[in-house]
Amino acid sequence: MIDIINKRRSIRKYLNQPVEEEKIISLLKAAMNAPTAKNRQEWRFAVISDKELLTRFATEVSPYTSMVKDASYAIVVSGDLHVTPSKEYICVDCAAAIENMLLCAVELELGCCWCGLADNEDRVSKTKQLLNLPDNFYPVAIVAIGYPDEVKEPNNRYDPEKVTYYH
Ligand SMILES: Cc1cc2nc3c(=O)[nH]c(=O)nc-3n(C[C@H](O)[C@H](O)[C@H](O)COP(=O)(O)O)c2cc1C
């Protein structure tokens, strides 16, 4: 598990090789086994493999999501404001789910990139429009998924200066 955590990197280049649907189901299972405040499980997942939609997302929603056009899949993770009215909790709960997906992806030899949408009104409204999401959905992020076409070193960012102990 520690190895998988360290190996997880943001992968923005993908092979032209389709990701198997079973692997997408595994990512979704990992996401939905994440903890949520009051066990509300308010996340909702939009799974996109339509090439035109992926391209439109990359070009129309955010200047920082260009890798989405080359991804085999992308998953937009939203929170349902009818279930959890607090956007802060939605962000925290969705973040835990997203991280579970990213770690699961490492085990499945997939490459992913988490791209933030929340807290940017323009991206949130463009995402809702493009995917025709219900008004009560708050999109937190889009995760691009594909077989990696780049190799990155594992992370090693431990910095004791950032830690305070209260023994
Ligand atoms: C909340 C959040 C939003 C992010 N948004 C983007 C994004 O819009 N585009 C992008 O290319 N990477 C995005 N990233 C990925 C970060 O740039 C990346 O995690 C960071 O540079 C560290 O690199 P690593 O993931 O390889 O360890 C985001 C990450 C997080 C957690």
Side-chain angles (χ1 to χ4, degrees):
M1 186 65 197
I2 292 171
D3 242 25
I4 288 195
I5 290 170
N6 296 342
K7 269 170 72 181
R8 185 220 53 81
R9 297 295 314 272
S10 292
I11 299 299
R12 300 183 177 87
K13 290 181 184 150
Y14 312 104
L15 296 173
N16 186 17
Q17 177 184 340
V19 170
E20 299 81 352
E21 211 173 317
E22 312 87 73
K23 290 199 175 182
I24 298 299
I25 301 289
S26 297
L27 297 183
L28 293 166
K29 283 182 178 171
M32 293 191 214
N33 283 336
T36 51
K38 295 195 175 166
N39 197 19
R40 282 183 174 135
Q41 303 173 38
E42 76 276 28
W43 5 250
R44 303 291 179 262
F45 302 89
V47 180
I48 312 168
S49 63
D50 180 89
K51 272 286 159 204
E52 191 195 327
L53 211 45
L54 291 170
T55 304
R56 287 190 63 194
F57 205 100
T59 51
E60 295 174 24
V61 174
S62 159
Y64 308 109
T65 56
S66 56
M67 81 297 285
V68 168
K69 71 176 188 316
D70 303 318
S72 177
Y73 276 90
I75 299 180
V76 172
V77 184
S78 305
D80 185 340
L81 286 158
H82 283 169
V83 180
T84 299
S86 152
K87 286 181 180 169
E88 283 83 0
Y89 270 115
I90 282 180
C91 283
V92 172
D93 290 342
C94 286
I98 293 164
E99 183 67 6
N100 268 16
M101 272 203 276
L102 300 188
L103 296 177
C104 179
V106 176
E107 180 160 323
L108 299 176
E109 300 186 325
L110 297 172
C112 290
C113 189
W114 171 344
C115 300
L117 302 168
D119 254 20
N120 181 303
E121 267 182 47
D122 187 54
R123 280 173 219 163
V124 166
S125 74
K126 281 178 177 164
T127 301
K128 289 175 76 166
Q129 248 185 338
L130 194 59
L131 300 179
N132 206 12
L133 296 178
D135 229 23
N136 50 303
F137 277 29
Y138 182 60
V140 172
I142 182 166
V143 179
I145 304 155
Y147 280 100
D149 194 21
E150 61 178 332
V151 178
K152 290 187 168 179
E153 286 301 304
N155 279 326
N156 180 19
R157 291 194 282 245
Y158 174 66
D159 176 1
E161 301 250 309
K162 293 185 176 169
V163 184
T164 308
Y165 289 92
Y166 295 83
H167 287 309

